[in-house]
Structure formats: structure tokens, C-alpha cells
């Protein structure tokens, strides 16, 4: 299924976190926090400003981003969890 976000929304796939600590202790699934790092799968065209002109998005598909802990709405696409969030919820682009 293809999904194209509207306006200033972004579709993000969470990146997996390591299951082991630096000391070698394996972390069980129930104790893991969801990662706040993901890859942009698709981005909308951008939001409209006061004059009705479209403001381009600063992120694009393929960018690795950091986002707020409780950002976005979780959805499943073909069995894979994704987040749909506003561009404002993205904190940084990882280079």
C-alpha cells in the first residue's frame, strides 16, 4: 500500500534499537522504550503560509530523523509500524 502524507505531515518508520546494553545484558521487550529515531518514508508538499503560498518541507524521503517521544499517530502499513507526524514534531535530521 502506498501512502502520501498531506500538507506538512511526514510518514516515518521507526529504526530498531539494540537489544543489549554495553555491559552485555539483554533487555526484554517489556522493558524497552520505543526509539525516537526513524527514517522518513514519505513527506507531504508543505504547509501554506498566510499568503496562500506553499512552504517547502525541510525533510525528504530517506532522511534519518530524531522526533519527540510522544509524536505522531501510529499506523500499520503491510504489517510494519509507522508514524504519521507533523514536520514540527521532528527535532533534528541526523547526518
Amino acid at each position: 500500500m502506498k501512502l502520501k502524507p498531506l500538507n506538512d505531515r511526514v510518514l516515518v518508520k521507526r529504526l530498531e534499537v539494540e537489544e543489549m546494553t554495553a555491559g552485555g545484558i539483554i533487555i526484554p521487550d517489556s522493558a524497552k522504550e520505543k526509539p525516537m529515531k526513524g527514517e522518513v518514508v514519505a513527506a507531504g508538499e508543505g504547509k501554506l503560509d498566510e499568503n496562500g503560498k506553499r512552504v517547502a518541507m525541510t525533510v525528504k524521503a530517506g532522511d534519518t530523523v530524531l522526533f519527540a517521544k510522544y509524536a505522531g499517530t501510529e499506523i500499520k502499513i503491510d504489517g510494519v509500524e509507522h508514524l504519521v507526524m507533523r514536520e514540527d514534531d521532528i527535532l533534528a535530521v541526523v547526518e
Side-chain angles (χ1 to χ4, degrees), residues 11 31 37 55 58 63 70 86-87 91:
L11 180 66
K37 185 176 180 182
V55 178
T58 56
D63 285 349
Y70 299 106
R86 292 192 175 275
E87 185 181 28
L91 305 174

Side-chain angles (χ1 to χ4, degrees), residues 17-83:
V17 294
E18 291 193 25
E19 298 180 8
M20 195 177 302
T21 65
I25 299 172
I26 297 175
I27 302 170
D29 288 337
S30 60
K32 289 183 194 173
E33 286 191 23
K34 292 194 176 191
M36 297 185 305
K37 185 176 180 182
E39 179 183 351
V40 176
V41 176
E45 297 175 358
K47 61 182 169 184
L48 297 174
D49 66 5
E50 301 87 32
N51 300 324
K53 293 185 180 182
R54 183 112 11 220
V55 178
M57 299 283 280
T58 56
V59 296
K60 61 187 179 309
D63 285 349
T64 301
V65 295
L66 297 176
F67 48 86
K69 189 170 191 172
Y70 299 106
T73 303
E74 291 184 358
I75 60 169
K76 274 195 176 184
I77 301 173
D78 298 330
V80 180
E81 284 193 23
H82 289 77
L83 289 168

